[in-house]
Amino acid sequence: MQNKNRGAAMVEFALVAPFFFMLISCIIYGAMVMHDINSLNEITRNAARYGSVIASGVTPAEKTAEVQKFIRNKAANGGLFLYELNGDPKVSADENSEVTNEKTIKVVVTAQMKDGLPTFLFLDYFPASLKTISSTITMRRED
């Protein structure tokens, strides 16, 4: 009886292992995408906060440059794994809000999936909607 079942476990492993490792890879990759989405939201929120507390004597152009520099620094220093910033972040400083007529700062950051990532079998079918991620934060100025 033992001789008939010899090697069955090895054949079963050979059939199941590729799907198992693909599932594990998908879970890890999905976690990295979620990390980047959360990191981009956090970077944008911190940049808006930073821009809202900059001294009021600074011109809007200087404020915009400072906030863009802040975003680039945060994204470059381990903030994003799979994505890179897509151009310069858009910063609208010292605009009046339509609702409250108060000074606000609006920060829009967009990130594109990096080229040259290792493409496992499933990455070719990655949804196009997640190849570009974006975050928008509007915050009231604190003068």
Side-chain angles (χ1 to χ4, degrees):
M1 189 74 132
Q2 187 75 347
N3 290 337
K4 290 182 182 178
N5 294 330
R6 267 188 104 158
M10 191 180 309
V11 171
E12 289 172 1
F13 179 77
L15 291 173
V16 172
F19 296 108
F20 176 73
F21 290 121
M22 185 182 292
L23 176 68
I24 296 298
S25 297
C26 286
I27 290 170
I28 292 170
Y29 197 77
M32 291 172 74
V33 168
M34 290 305 298
H35 171 271
D36 282 357
I37 291 171
N38 289 332
S39 292
L40 189 69
N41 287 334
E42 184 68 19
I43 289 169
T44 307
R45 189 177 311 112
N46 287 338
R49 177 78 177 142
Y50 176 71
S52 72
V53 297
I54 291 177
S56 58
V58 178
T59 66
E62 292 172 337
K63 186 177 295 189
T64 298
E66 281 294 316
V67 172
Q68 287 176 339
K69 180 178 164 187
F70 179 87
I71 292 169
R72 276 191 236 92
N73 258 351
K74 290 289 184 184
N77 292 329
L80 301 174
F81 290 139
L82 303 175
Y83 293 85
E84 58 193 356
L85 293 181
N86 194 7
D88 277 338
K90 296 178 183 81
V91 179
S92 306
D94 293 333
E95 291 187 350
N96 287 332
S97 169
E98 299 95 24
V99 179
T100 61
N101 203 23
E102 294 177 333
K103 298 279 188 188
T104 61
I105 183 166
K106 181 177 180 180
V107 179
V108 179
V109 181
T110 305
Q112 183 87 21
M113 190 172 280
K114 292 179 183 175
D115 290 332
L117 289 175
T119 56
F120 306 110
L121 297 174
F122 60 92
L123 289 184
D124 295 333
Y125 304 105
F126 199 70
S129 62
L130 285 178
K131 291 191 177 183
T132 302
I133 56 177
S134 181
S135 179
T136 304
I137 302 289
T138 302
M139 194 171 286
R140 185 177 59 86
R141 288 272 321 274
E142 296 180 10
D143 287 331

